[in-house]
Amino acid sequence: KIRRPRSSVIAVDERSAEGLTREHREALEQQAATNEVLRIIRRSPADAQPVFDAIVESASRLCGAIFSAVYLCEDDRFRIVATNNFSREATRQILEHGQWRKPDRSHIAGRAMLDRAITHVSDVLADPEYSREWALAGGWRAVVAVPLLRDNKPLGVLSVSKAEPVPFSDWQIQLLNTFADQALIAIENVRL
């Protein structure tokens, strides 16, 4: 019978406790952020902009992202309606290409809109379809986008980006899905 030294058992227990503490803190932060978005929806049911602004700020912060955006779709085009931490170079490119853009596979929001599915690329510079110019201008490597769907029709997209080629976690993607649902509620409230 092999006996483990007591010190290694204590070290394992401390790591487990640290992990549980981190998960608990993340869950509380997520709950606080989603509750804040719901409060904003209740306070301004006829104006979705404050909701979009709160979502992009919380999404960036909670996902460890350098950038986040909400896009709205109209017919076969989309435009940015809210951003958090967008670089000057990326802003310049948006202005050069015009606000309304046709979706294509060179951009994460375009892919999510076309595929009508959550789209995740852990390193855009290794993806042959993704626009290197766009990624370098924005300074991001990992991206994820969640479409805002109603009856399988895209009304918008929520996207976040990281500077490092590190995949987003399942927890982060689920959080973004929750924010996308809240953005849909805000859009529907304005339409009503």
Side-chain angles (χ1 to χ4, degrees), residues 105 107-121 143-149 152-154 156-159 173 177 180:
R105 304 212 49 89
H107 185 268
I108 196 70
R111 288 184 191 188
M113 186 177 165
L114 291 170
D115 296 345
R116 291 169 170 71
I118 295 172
T119 306
H120 185 201
V121 179
V143 292
V144 65
V146 179
L148 312 177
L149 299 174
N152 204 35
K153 179 183 177 200
V157 176
L158 168 62
S159 73
I173 293 170
N177 206 33

Side-chain angles (χ1 to χ4, degrees), residues 125-143:
L125 296 182
D127 185 315
E129 290 183 304
Y130 203 92
S131 168
R132 288 183 64 80
E133 180 183 14
W134 188 246
L136 294 172
W140 54 75
R141 297 284 297 274
V143 292

Side-chain angles (χ1 to χ4, degrees), residues 18-131:
E18 288 173 11
L20 289 173
T21 300
R22 186 188 78 252
E23 289 174 10
H24 184 259
R25 185 185 75 250
E26 288 172 349
L28 290 174
E29 289 174 352
Q30 176 182 349
Q31 183 180 18
T34 57
N35 285 341
E36 177 59 22
V37 172
L38 290 173
R39 277 193 295 278
I40 294 169
I41 290 170
R42 281 192 306 270
R43 283 195 312 254
S44 56
D47 184 8
Q49 191 62 51
V51 175
F52 298 152
D53 293 340
I55 286 171
V56 294
E57 188 279 324
S58 293
S60 287
R61 181 174 41 82
L62 294 173
C63 291
I66 59 166
F67 166 75
S68 59
V70 171
Y71 302 81
L72 288 184
C73 305
E74 191 170 296
D75 299 321
D76 64 341
R77 298 182 182 271
F78 64 93
R79 68 182 170 95
I80 292 178
V81 295
T83 64
N84 189 55
N85 294 331
F86 216 89
S87 73
R88 282 189 186 157
E89 181 60 22
T91 301
R92 183 188 63 73
Q93 283 195 17
I94 287 173
L95 295 174
E96 284 179 6
H97 291 100
Q99 266 292 337
W100 289 100
R101 177 182 174 151
K102 281 192 165 275
D104 61 45
R105 304 212 49 89
S106 71
H107 185 268
I108 196 70
R111 288 184 191 188
M113 186 177 165
L114 291 170
D115 296 345
R116 291 169 170 71
I118 295 172
T119 306
H120 185 201
V121 179
S122 58
D123 187 358
V124 295
L125 296 182
D127 185 315
E129 290 183 304
Y130 203 92
S131 168

Side-chain angles (χ1 to χ4, degrees), residues 148-155 184 188 191:
L148 312 177
L149 299 174
R150 184 182 56 165
D151 299 327
N152 204 35
K153 179 183 177 200
L155 300 181
L184 276 170
E188 290 301 315
R191 288 184 181 192

